[in-house]
């Protein structure tokens, strides 16, 4: 659980660095979900990439805006994390009960993969914008083949190159990180429901309500109560 807490502390901006994060702190758009992310990390869902859902905010918005003036921006909630096989079972069960969710997962060796959710999986836009006199702009997409074949290999390699190598080969810390790398899955979860989220009237919106983060927390709590997941 020391490793879980390390991820949580990064989200809380109490430590400056994680191997998978290019910036010294989380991006401002993640501030609205920082509490939920910290809770997920302390429950063993080790988040390395995330974004909240956004529905039609002005492109001039200080936190979520991009792409120039006069437009409106949108994004689906997305969570990328490492988790144990037991935690993965919880996520898969959650996705099977919610027609708006997709999940993709792969283990360190690349031999075990999971695809659940919408009947037709494929490349999907995670962030897009509508601007005057322009086609729809899609700066961020999710491609399952790239996730499985390219990013997963790099993401797992960072456990060794940026963390395990800090310790002596025979140390408990080295063996712990190695065990996590070898046994955990890299998961990507997409919530295709972006309507109930952060919208134009931000003052009346609570980004944690019916959010992807609450769904994951609720699923893990239920599994724990049923005895299928030990936190």
């Amino acid at each position: 659980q020391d490793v879980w807490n390390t991820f949580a502390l990064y989200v809380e901006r109490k430590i400056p660095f994680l191997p998978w994060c290019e910036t010294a702190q989380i991006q401002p758009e993640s501030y609205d979900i920082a509490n939920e992310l910290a809770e997920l990390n302390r429950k063993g869902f080790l988040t390395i990439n995330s974004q909240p859902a956004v529905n039609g905010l002005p492109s001039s918005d200080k936190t979520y805006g991009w792409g120039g003036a006069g437009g409106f921006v949108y994004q689906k909630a997305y969570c990328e994390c490492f988790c144990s096989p037991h935690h993965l079972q919880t996520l898969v069960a959650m996705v099977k009960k919610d027609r708006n969710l997709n999940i993709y997962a792969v283990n360190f060796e690349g031999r075990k993969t999971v695809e659940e959710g919408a009947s037709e999986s494929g490349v999907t836009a995670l962030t897009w914008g509508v601007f005057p006199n322009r086609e729809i702009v899609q700066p961020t997409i999710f491609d399952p083949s790239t996730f499985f074949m390219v990013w997963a290999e790099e993401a797992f390699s960072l456990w060794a190159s940026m963390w395990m190598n800090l310790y002596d080969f025979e140390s408990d810390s080295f063996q712990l990180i190695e065990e996590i790398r070898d046994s955990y899955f890299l998961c990507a979860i997409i919530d295709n429901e972006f309507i109930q989220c952060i919208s134009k009237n931000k003052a009346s919106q609570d980004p944690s309500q019916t959010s992807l983060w609450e769904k994951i927390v609720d699923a893990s709590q239920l599994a724990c109560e049923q005895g299928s997941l030990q936190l």
Side-chain angles (χ1 to χ4, degrees):
Q1 295 206 353
D2 287 342
V3 173
W4 297 1
N5 192 51
T6 297
F7 279 79
L9 290 174
Y10 174 77
V11 171
E12 294 169 337
R13 291 178 281 172
K14 295 178 180 178
I15 62 173
F17 179 76
L18 279 180
W20 301 269
C21 303
E22 297 179 352
T23 59
Q25 291 186 343
I26 62 173
Q27 295 297 313
E29 71 170 14
S30 294
Y31 293 172
D32 285 330
I33 56 173
N35 290 337
E36 288 82 2
L37 291 176
E39 183 175 2
L40 290 180
N41 280 289
R42 290 195 168 96
K43 291 182 180 297
F45 301 95
L46 308 181
T47 61
I48 60 173
N49 190 11
S50 61
Q51 66 178 36
V54 170
N55 181 26
L57 282 180
S59 59
S60 58
D61 185 86
K62 293 182 178 180
T63 301
Y64 298 97
W66 55 271
F72 296 92
V73 296
Y74 304 80
Q75 58 189 43
K76 296 178 181 180
Y78 176 77
C79 181
E80 193 172 298
C81 65
F82 291 102
C83 68
S84 71
H86 289 301
H87 285 64
L88 176 60
Q89 291 175 8
T90 300
L91 295 178
V92 171
M94 174 191 71
V95 169
K96 287 182 176 180
K97 295 178 181 179
D98 191 325
R99 61 185 177 85
N100 292 315
L101 300 180
N102 286 85
I103 185 170
Y104 304 85
V106 59
N107 71 341
F108 169 58
E109 295 179 341
R111 296 178 181 177
K112 297 180 180 179
T113 61
V114 173
E115 290 188 60
E116 290 286 350
S119 57
E120 295 184 5
S121 62
V123 178
T124 184
L126 295 179
T127 305
W128 65 100
V130 181
F131 299 89
N133 304 313
R134 297 168 64 183
E135 295 181 351
I136 301 296
V137 183
Q138 301 178 30
T140 310
I141 64 171
F142 178 85
D143 185 343
S145 62
T146 301
F147 175 78
F148 286 127
M149 303 300 295
V150 180
W151 169 235
E153 181 178 353
E154 180 180 350
F156 277 109
S157 72
L158 293 174
W159 283 106
S161 64
M162 300 292 287
W163 203 330
M164 287 165 56
N165 288 346
L166 298 176
Y167 306 107
D168 293 334
F169 177 75
E170 297 182 352
S171 68
D172 292 340
S173 296
F174 184 98
Q175 294 177 15
L176 172 62
I177 301 302
E178 184 178 42
E179 180 181 354
I180 291 175
R181 182 201 63 178
D182 292 349
S183 62
Y184 275 35
F185 281 76
L186 177 65
C187 304
I189 310 166
I190 302 170
D191 191 345
N192 296 293
E193 168 59 82
F194 61 90
I195 304 301
Q196 300 296 328
C197 60
I198 303 171
S199 62
K200 295 179 183 178
N201 187 13
K202 288 199 292 184
S204 65
Q205 295 289 331
D206 180 356
S208 69
Q209 289 185 354
T210 65
S211 69
L212 176 60
W213 330 107
E214 287 293 316
K215 292 175 184 178
I216 298 174
V217 169
D218 290 346
S220 66
Q221 293 284 18
L222 178 61
C224 184
E225 292 171 2
Q226 294 174 342
S228 60
L229 175 61
Q230 299 297 321
L231 294 178

